[in-house]
Amino acid sequence: MNYIYPEYEVVRNYARCIVCRACENQCANCVHRYIESENRMESKDDDCVNCHRCVTICPTRALKIIKSDHTFRYNSNWTGKTINEIFKQAESGGVLLSSMGNPENYPVYFDKILINASQVTNPSIDPLREPMETRVFLGSKVHKIKRDSNGKIDTSTAPQLDLSVPIMFSAMSYGSISYNAHESLAKAAEKLGIYYNTGEGGLHEDFYKYSKNTIVQVASGRFGVHKSYLDTAAAIEIKMGQGAKPGIGGHLPGAKIVGAVSRTRMIPEGSDAISPAPHHDIYSIEDLRQLVFSLKEATDYKKPVIVKIAAVHNVTAIASGVARSGADIIAIDGFRGGTGAAPTKIRDNVGIPIELALASVDKRLRDEGIRDRVSLIVGGSIRSSTDIIKAIALGADCVYIGSAALIAMGCHLCRSCQSGKCNWGIATQIPNLVKRLNPSIAYQRLVNLVTAWNHEMREMLGGMGINSIESLKGNRLMLRGVGLTDKELEILGIFHAGE
Amino acid sequence: MKINAKNIEYRELNQLIKKSKGDITIDNCIGQRYIASGLSNKKIKINGTPGNALGAYLDGAEITVLGNVQDATGDTMNDGKIIVHGSAGDALGYAMRGGRIYVRGHAGYRTGIHMKEYETKKPVIIVGESAGSFLGEYLAGGILVVLGLSGTGMVVGNFPGTGMHGGKILLRGNRIPQSLPPQISISPIEKGNFGEVETYLREYCEVFSLDYEGITKEPFFILKPNSSNPYHQMYVTN
């Protein structure tokens, strides 16, 4: 007996349905079925994940998915969601597993912050007519003037990443997403003059040609990490944590370690790929420093090293330590960051909002006089150009986008990545699903998204009378809060609207 | 080429090593870190004590140390050889994927953790004396051998093979370690039947001038995982 009533219902308008069976053919979850004797289609709601593939593909718009109005007796403590979770665990004895970012109803601070604009006294700038600088450099900045024995200023700088716009695609491994998804991200990064990130799945041999736009990741499992992987990259990211699951490691099940994924990770097919949360060689900032410098030594100090951490309660102290570890860039991932799979309870309850983490880390590093030693990248979750403008004004140098990039490629946020049966060809390794994602189309959609956001950011910068991203960085006077408490305003370092 | 490492910092020393051609001998090595990281096609002999992360990401070079080595030796090593005539610190051969590390003396905590093999790549660590706790934690592939040559007690510390899901661990001696995780099976090795490990054991004995027959007539145990998917049953889709 199955206690769980389907969460969604497939509604078919039989007046429109032409029995073309496209829905049946497209659904990897086998929701649709053809009844030959009656020459009509039938649906099995239990298996529907609400990914909209059938809805989108249906040539006559005969399908829609609705949330079931089936309900438990009203109870604001024991919600249907909670009851169903208990049913699932009582049935299986398993840890609840979910995908993508935290969907729960926590405050989104970006939505409670408003952006300034110039009026009368400080003219705004028209970005269509006047130059507007969105280029940024990430890496440790020179914080002391050094002269050689002849008194000449030493103009050398630490290695920098050069971006046309302060947006990068965040780490998503080949394995968690498909070959075609990776290719789309890599091509888009190259076209846009930005970077994408391999995640901890190694770098497929076909993608070495995008190396100038590639950030490679080194995590606790070290999958696919070897000399040429490090040598080819523009930067190396050490993954210490992830916003979707702080304190939890990665675990790609053996079923997904097939073919080229196995080859790229350099582990046998069918073997679990386990990246525990702790790096068991890193128990301190000194140990982290050792990994940072072993990577720098191995690559002749030619590449910036990024250390990625999750936004957790004491993120400021951690970031301060990381800034002293020799890292060139710190990436902070907020609690709404996405993932291919995470224990539900961790995803929904661990970590803190990126807006608060960013504001307090930036302040702490400035207070300690070490802000210039590192660049700050924030992610988890950045959903629009305005989120980026607000993040930069709160002190970020750049943002990572993951979920937004996937959505641009066709992800409908059904949050079922862990099943490996992504109907959109993104979070799957099943060949006939992967080929649904056409890299030359998906790449163009990514380019379009970033280009559009860039236009919007230029407009907003111009509106504020600012002509470069650099002048917006940490410029919190450009922000005002609405409906925030004194404490929240204090942490964000902004005034309330009207002040 | 000879390099005198006395009073030079690691960065300078490592640049000298990278620039020099042919075989290298480093004298008076005193704790310089990251020696030979990522190197291939070089033979390096070290007199003294190299610092942490010796041979990290090593990609084919051969290193011989006449002395002890510190922590994180051979981190993420891909290929090559590291021979240590003394003892090794913690996290020896972390996430190593290929090549061999032979230690004549003891090895610290977390030896060979995360080691993995792939196709022709098969990492091997042989420790002459004892190894600390958490030997072969998360082991996914490769071969770990602890010989306990002069000791009479337990050759490993606590919790060997925790989270192990591939590879094998060979322990010499009569005593089975306590606290083995449930997904590990342990069985005695039939006399002389070392399979692929024999080649490495013979090489080890040759390197350190040890008596192969004498060593291998003692009992050995082998630890293997029961499953390559240890966490398979743990989750339910939500």
Side-chain angles (χ1 to χ4, degrees), chain B:
Chain B
M1 182 183 159
K2 266 185 182 288
I3 299 173
N4 186 353
K6 198 177 178 183
N7 293 333
I8 58 175
E9 276 222 84
Y10 70 80
R11 202 166 159 175
E12 192 186 338
L13 174 62
N14 293 331
Q15 275 169 1
L16 283 173
I17 295 169
K18 280 184 185 174
K19 271 189 232 154
S20 56
K21 297 205 165 68
D23 296 357
I24 302 164
T25 302
I26 302 170
D27 290 323
N28 302 314
C29 191
I30 180 156
Q32 286 93 346
R33 292 181 170 189
Y34 323 115
I35 291 175
S37 56
L39 286 193
S40 48
N41 299 323
K42 267 193 168 61
K43 269 192 178 171
I44 303 170
K45 190 172 148 191
I46 301 174
N47 293 310
T49 309
N52 290 353
L54 167 73
Y57 324 102
L58 199 72
D59 204 17
E62 278 189 46
I63 303 171
T64 302
V65 182
L66 297 169
N68 299 324
V69 296
Q70 300 189 341
D71 297 346
T73 298
D75 181 347
T76 323
M77 178 169 162
N78 193 50
D79 200 0
K81 216 188 269 185
I82 300 178
I83 291 163
V84 180
H85 284 259
S87 291
D90 296 339
L92 174 72
Y94 182 108
M96 188 179 163
R97 184 189 302 112
R100 280 156 281 171
I101 300 180
Y102 295 154
V103 177
R104 176 60 188 85
H106 301 269
Y109 285 128
R110 297 205 149 89
T111 296
I113 73 170
H114 274 302
M115 260 179 28
K116 45 188 69 78
E117 64 188 59
Y118 176 66
E119 290 183 347
T120 56
K121 295 249 173 247
K122 182 168 266 189
V124 179
I125 297 179
I126 303 181
V127 176
E129 301 295 344
S130 69
S133 295
F134 309 105
L135 172 77
E137 198 178 31
Y138 308 107
L139 195 71
I143 299 163
L144 280 170
V145 184
V146 185
L147 296 172
L149 289 177
S150 54
T152 47
M154 189 63 69
V155 298
V156 288
N158 295 322
F159 315 113
T162 306
M164 174 175 175
H165 53 288
K168 50 182 111 168
I169 301 177
L170 275 73
L171 304 174
R172 181 170 165 272
N174 294 315
R175 295 176 62 188
I176 297 176
Q178 305 293 306
S179 62
L180 278 178
Q183 88 279 9
I184 301 298
S185 66
I186 184 162
S187 52
I189 290 182
E190 280 179 47
K191 254 202 168 71
N193 191 10
F194 290 102
E196 57 175 349
V197 183
E198 183 177 334
T199 323
Y200 305 118
L201 274 176
R202 283 192 185 278
E203 188 184 39
Y204 180 89
C205 290
E206 201 183 307
V207 165
F208 294 116
S209 310
L210 296 164
D211 170 23
Y212 175 81
E213 305 300 333
I215 287 171
T216 53
K217 72 171 193 252
E218 295 290 316
F220 273 80
F221 285 97
I222 183 163
L223 276 63
K224 280 182 176 172
N226 296 323
S227 157
S228 62
N229 308 104
Y231 305 114
H232 190 57
Q233 298 297 331
M234 221 172 96
Y235 298 108
V236 58
T237 297
N238 186 29

Side-chain angles (χ1 to χ4, degrees), chain A residues 85 88-97, chain B residues 233-237:
Chain A
E85 285 179 350
K88 284 178 193 171
Q89 294 191 289
E91 177 80 25
S92 66
V95 170
L96 297 167
L97 194 68
Chain B
Q233 298 297 331
M234 221 172 96
Y235 298 108
V236 58
T237 297

